[in-house]
Amino acid sequence: MNTGSNESAEAVAPVGGAEPEPALGSRAPQYVQARRALHLSWQVGVFIVGLAVVVAGIIMLPLPGPGWLVIFGGMAIWATEFVWAQLVLRWTKRKVTEAAQRALDPKVRRRNIILTTIGLVIVAVLVAVYVWKFGITMPWKIKE
């Protein structure tokens, strides 16, 4: 089984003047990497811990809690050992950075403000119609 964790430590070329990304590969200590059985057990342990964190994050998605944050934390745990997780995290970071740059664009901000305002007006009108039609009854005045 080749997990790609023993690749050479080369820095990725910077894109657009950004700082170079760290090299792909295992972050295990050298004495662990030097022994095949120990390194394999290290990888299994990292995978199990990362899996537990990712599953906890998936459980938190419909429940109260920072689900996506915990899922990305589990991916970061996996990224300490597995190249595929490092590549997924780099792709995610790049997409989030691009989305943040797009959100700062004045045209996009103006559009978002207009859409938010229209949405709030629609919600206010719906609440006003509901109150006009059914009124407001305080919980302590409800008759059974």
Side-chain angles (χ1 to χ4, degrees):
M1 168 169 86
N2 183 6
T3 60
S5 62
N6 293 328
E7 292 184 5
S8 62
E10 299 175 8
V12 176
V15 177
E19 58 199 43
E21 295 178 359
L24 297 174
S26 177
R27 305 283 194 288
Q30 286 294 8
Y31 70 89
V32 172
Q33 289 182 17
R35 293 161 183 83
R36 177 83 175 135
L38 187 57
H39 193 224
L40 186 59
S41 62
W42 178 277
Q43 287 178 330
V44 169
V46 167
F47 183 80
I48 290 172
V49 170
L51 183 64
V53 173
V54 168
V55 168
I58 291 171
I59 291 170
M60 285 185 208
L61 286 175
L63 300 174
W68 285 110
L69 185 65
V70 173
I71 289 172
F72 289 127
M75 288 296 296
I77 291 171
W78 280 338
T80 63
E81 194 58 36
F82 302 106
V83 172
W84 60 268
Q86 294 169 3
L87 294 173
V88 168
L89 282 179
R90 285 184 183 177
W91 178 84
T92 304
K93 181 180 177 182
R94 187 174 62 248
K95 291 298 179 185
V96 167
T97 303
E98 291 171 4
Q101 290 300 320
R102 280 194 309 270
L104 294 176
D105 180 27
K107 291 179 185 177
V108 174
R109 289 185 70 200
R110 191 175 315 115
R111 183 198 65 203
N112 289 345
I113 290 171
I114 291 170
L115 289 175
T116 302
T117 304
I118 291 171
L120 289 174
V121 168
I122 290 171
V123 168
V125 167
L126 291 174
V127 168
V129 167
Y130 179 85
V131 169
W132 173 70
K133 187 163 182 151
F134 299 107
I136 296 178
T137 304
M138 295 298 157
W140 53 86
K141 292 186 178 181
I142 295 177
K143 297 175 184 168
E144 295 185 41

